[in-house]
């Protein structure tokens, strides 16, 4: 897996954690620490390792869609639910470089199982 | 969704070898049907989730969980440690049973929250006695959890 893509997935999952923690506490009663400072710091550490252009795009997509990375399964981008062009869907470069969906622009991650 | 549909022998470890938080999470993640790289990322996310607050909910039970891009479906991995693990549980007690739940962020029906709620409910039920710690066979373990689930729906 491409190292930048790996970081993108980590950033995506961390952003999700930060967003969902409130819901977990309210709806499921999981006790949360008062501060999420540690996680914010971890987010910064991950973001810093991303290429500037990739990070800027990530933040842009996050603001636009609330989520910047979309899983791909069976040739479909699960960000916009459009089929990817055949050449891309069958490409050998899956997860070996940072690729964006030609339709919605989200970063793509080909999901295994 | 029934818990039974999620209970699979290959996703259960009745004799966890590790006795600390990091080691146990690693051991549980090891059971996931993912490649090594993906397992590494998932482990990081779970550790970060614990930083927000321990999922050791008390009475010897922990329910580590997160959503991750890496999985397509909802997965439930169960681990047991008879000796117990220091997991930073809310009541300070050692944890004996781990229910690790990972779902896709896209999972549309919110099964994730439902399953989390259900596991918490079952966990409360099974801690009323010691039986769950005494079962030796995975098939028996699965059957027992299924029965508890049924009884709660009753
Ligand atoms: Zn798309």
């Amino acid at each position: 897996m491409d190292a930048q893509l790996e970081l993108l997935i980590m950033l995506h999952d961390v952003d999700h954690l930060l967003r969902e923690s409130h819901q977990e506490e309210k709806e499921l009663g999981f006790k949360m620490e008062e501060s999420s400072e540690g996680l914010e710091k971890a987010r910064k550490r991950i973001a810093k390792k991303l290429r500037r252009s990739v990070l800027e795009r990530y933040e842009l997509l996050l603001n636009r869609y609330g989520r910047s990375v979309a899983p791909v399964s069976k040739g479909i981008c699960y960000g916009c639910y459009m089929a990817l062009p055949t050449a891309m869907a069958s490409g050998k470069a899956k997860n070996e470089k940072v690729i964006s969906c030609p339709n919605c622009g989200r970063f793509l991650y080909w999901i295994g199982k | 969704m029934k818990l039974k549909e999620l209970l699979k022998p290959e996703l259960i470890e009745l004799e966890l070898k590790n006795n600390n938080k990091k080691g146990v999470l690693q051991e549980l993640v090891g059971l996931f049907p993912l490649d090594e790289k993906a397992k590494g990322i998932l482990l990081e996310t779970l550790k970060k989730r614990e930083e927000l607050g321990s999922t050791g909910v008390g009475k010897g039970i922990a329910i580590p969980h997160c959503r991750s891009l890496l999985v397509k479906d909802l997965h439930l991995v169960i681990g047991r440690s008879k000796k117990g693990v220091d997991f930073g549980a809310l009541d300070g007690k050692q944890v004996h049973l781990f229910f690790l739940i990972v779902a896709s962020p896209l999972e549309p029906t919110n099964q994730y929250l439902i399953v989390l709620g259900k596991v918490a409910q079952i966990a409360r039920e099974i801690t009323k006695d010691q039986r769950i710690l005494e079962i030796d066979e995975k098939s028996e373990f699965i059957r027992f959890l299924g029965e508890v689930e049924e009884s709660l729906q009753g």
Side-chain angles (χ1 to χ4, degrees), chain B residues 133-149:
Chain B
L133 296 179
E134 288 157 3
I135 296 169
D136 289 323
E137 295 284 331
K138 283 186 191 176
S139 55
E140 175 65 15
F141 191 85
I142 289 172
R143 205 175 57 81
F144 180 72
L145 286 177
E147 275 173 19
V148 174
E149 180 178 25

Side-chain angles (χ1 to χ4, degrees), chain A residues 6 13 20 24 33 71 73, chain B residues 37 49 52 65 67-68:
Chain A
E6 200 177 320
D13 285 357
E20 218 173 49
E24 279 193 34
E33 301 286 340
S73 179
Chain B
K37 196 126 226 180
R49 168 61 189 80
L52 287 175
H65 59 273
R67 288 189 191 265
S68 176

